[in-house]
Amino acid sequence: MLEIPDLLWERSKHSGKLHLRKSLVWKDVATQIFYSLSMAWGGLIALSSYNKFHNNCYSDAILVCVTNCVTSVFAGFAIFSILGHMAFVSERPVSEVVDSGFDLAFVAYPEALSRLPVSPLWSFLFFFMLLLLGLDSQFATIETLTTTIQDIYPKVMKKLRIPITLGVCILLFFLGLICVTQAGIYWVNLIDHFCAGWGILIAAVLEIIGIIYIYGGNRFIEDIEMMIGKKSRLFWLWWRMCWFFITPVLLMAILVWSLVTFSPPTYGSVLYPAWGTAVGWCMIIFCVIWIPIAAILKIVKAEGNLCQCRSFESDWPYRKVFFIQTQMCEEESWCSR
């Protein structure tokens, strides 16, 4: 057990209560959940599209969420045990030992590993783990992009899958060169502050509104039941509460709260100039503006108008045709990627 003095413990608890009152903390928490589960990034949708139609997506979702949470708790013990030891040795509260983010991975952890027996081995394993984490994230990102291209241009992707995948990798490589310049750490922090924060929250809010309130939550449940079988109304009670009320309200509250209490980004003691903040907002706009553009194009090309809302029964034949086509895909494998 860690021997942390009572004074440091009380100061850490008081500091924790103050941090819970900040919108930035809740925004970072929501962003971390989205990132670790790959929600609202497109990764889950892209990778799950390779499953068979009758795959039990419900049990998969539960398993992934439980595994993610257990892993996070285990990682929390590993991280805060080291931070607690460093706080005890330096006689400072945990909040003053090291800042979160890059300092935690590249300053605090290497310093702690250097004090372990056979420290070169542990240091090698730690940074090798970071390398594997980065590669794993890139695999999911590249697969999301190539799967999107596959769905839009299936014939082209079937013939040129390797060149297109290589081209996407090269393009992302050149886009990332700015992050390894002398000012690269400031660009990384700016991208992380804006795109990985508000951008993903906005995308998540639009996604749940589009599925539950525009497409229809009941239709969505019926689609799931086509894959995993009929379930009772009691089974879907909790999920209806989450999808129709709890999740959109929490996401909107965090998003609005973080926007109202917005402060210019900083890195350490360096305050970003006004043009840097403007660049950050432009990056967010560029990321999310394609959602309403695509929606408007779909509405313009669709038959009828917004007032002509079809009922669930009238929509069923189209979805039944999709169900039959999907069955054919599985049996004949003519649409396998």
Side-chain angles (χ1 to χ4, degrees):
M1 295 180 63
L2 297 174
E3 299 177 0
I4 302 177
D6 292 339
L7 177 60
L8 296 182
W9 176 246
E10 290 298 328
R11 290 177 63 183
S12 298
K13 288 197 299 182
H14 180 66
S15 176
K17 292 179 181 179
L18 292 178
H19 276 79
L20 290 177
R21 300 175 185 175
K22 297 180 180 179
S23 61
L24 180 62
V25 174
W26 291 99
K27 179 174 73 71
D28 290 341
V29 168
T31 302
Q32 175 60 31
I33 290 294
F34 285 129
Y35 182 78
S36 60
L37 291 176
S38 193
M39 295 187 300
W41 290 86
L44 280 179
I45 298 175
L47 296 178
S48 63
S49 66
Y50 291 90
N51 286 331
K52 293 183 178 180
F53 185 80
H54 289 292
N55 178 67
N56 194 334
C57 57
Y58 179 82
S59 60
D60 288 350
I62 298 297
L63 179 62
V64 169
C65 292
V66 171
T67 304
N68 175 76
C69 292
V70 172
T71 305
S72 299
V73 172
F74 175 76
F77 280 114
I79 292 172
F80 285 101
S81 61
I82 292 177
L83 293 181
H85 174 71
M86 296 176 65
F88 172 72
V89 171
S90 60
E91 297 184 352
R92 291 183 297 170
V94 175
S95 59
E96 296 179 7
V97 172
V98 65
D99 292 332
S100 61
F102 307 108
D103 290 344
L104 180 62
F106 298 106
V107 177
Y109 247 80
E111 180 182 350
L113 293 174
S114 65
R115 302 178 183 181
L116 295 176
V118 200
S119 58
L121 174 61
W122 295 111
S123 299
F124 169 78
L125 292 176
F126 173 73
F127 286 104
F128 185 65
M129 178 197 68
L130 291 182
L131 175 64
L132 294 181
L133 286 174
L135 290 176
D136 179 67
S137 300
Q138 287 304 307
F139 289 152
T141 303
I142 297 299
E143 193 61 43
T144 301
L145 295 174
T146 54
T147 301
T148 303
I149 300 174
Q150 163 80 29
D151 292 339
I152 299 176
Y153 306 106
K155 295 181 179 179
V156 175
M157 197 64 177
K158 186 177 181 180
K159 298 178 181 178
L160 304 172
R161 184 176 184 86
I162 294 178
I164 291 176
T165 303
L166 182 61
V168 171
C169 294
I170 294 174
L171 176 62
L172 294 179
F173 170 78
F174 283 111
L175 290 176
L177 287 180
I178 192 174
C179 297
V180 295
T181 60
Q182 290 186 350
I185 190 63
Y186 297 99
W187 284 105
V188 171
N189 185 67
L190 186 68
I191 295 171
D192 180 69
H193 183 82
F194 283 95
C195 295
W198 285 293
I200 195 65
L201 282 177
I202 294 173
V205 169
L206 293 177
E207 186 174 312
I208 195 168
I209 290 176
I211 294 175
I212 301 303
Y213 294 105
I214 298 179
Y215 176 74
N218 293 326
R219 290 183 179 182
F220 183 59
I221 290 174
E222 291 286 344
D223 293 339
I224 296 176
E225 288 182 336
M226 278 199 298
M227 294 182 282
I228 66 175
K230 276 285 187 180
K231 302 293 180 181
S232 64
R233 295 183 64 87
L234 184 62
F235 176 86
W236 294 111
L237 178 61
W238 166 250
W239 301 111
R240 278 191 168 95
M241 291 172 57
C242 289
W243 294 339
F244 282 88
F245 179 72
I246 298 177
T247 301
V249 169
L250 286 178
L251 289 179
M252 284 297 299
I254 294 174
L255 179 61
V256 173
W257 186 20
S258 61
L259 290 175
V260 170
T261 59
F262 170 78
S263 58
T266 60
Y267 180 73
S269 59
V270 178
L271 179 65
Y272 280 75
W275 67 265
T277 304
V279 169
W281 287 115
C282 289
M283 287 191 293
I284 290 183
I285 294 173
F286 183 80
C287 290
V288 302
I289 196 173
W290 306 107
I291 300 176
I293 289 177
I296 292 173
L297 290 177
K298 288 292 184 181
I299 293 173
V300 170
K301 293 180 180 180
E303 299 179 359
N305 53 60
L306 291 176
C307 297
Q308 295 173 328
C309 300
R310 294 179 301 180
S311 64
F312 174 78
E313 291 77 14
S314 63
D315 188 46
W316 171 251
Y318 300 96
R319 296 162 66 225
K320 188 174 182 181
V321 169
F322 169 77
F323 173 77
I324 296 174
Q325 290 177 343
T326 307
Q327 291 284 77
M328 293 173 59
C329 289
E330 291 185 2
E331 294 174 359
E332 302 178 11
S333 301
W334 61 270
C335 66
S336 60
R337 297 178 178 129

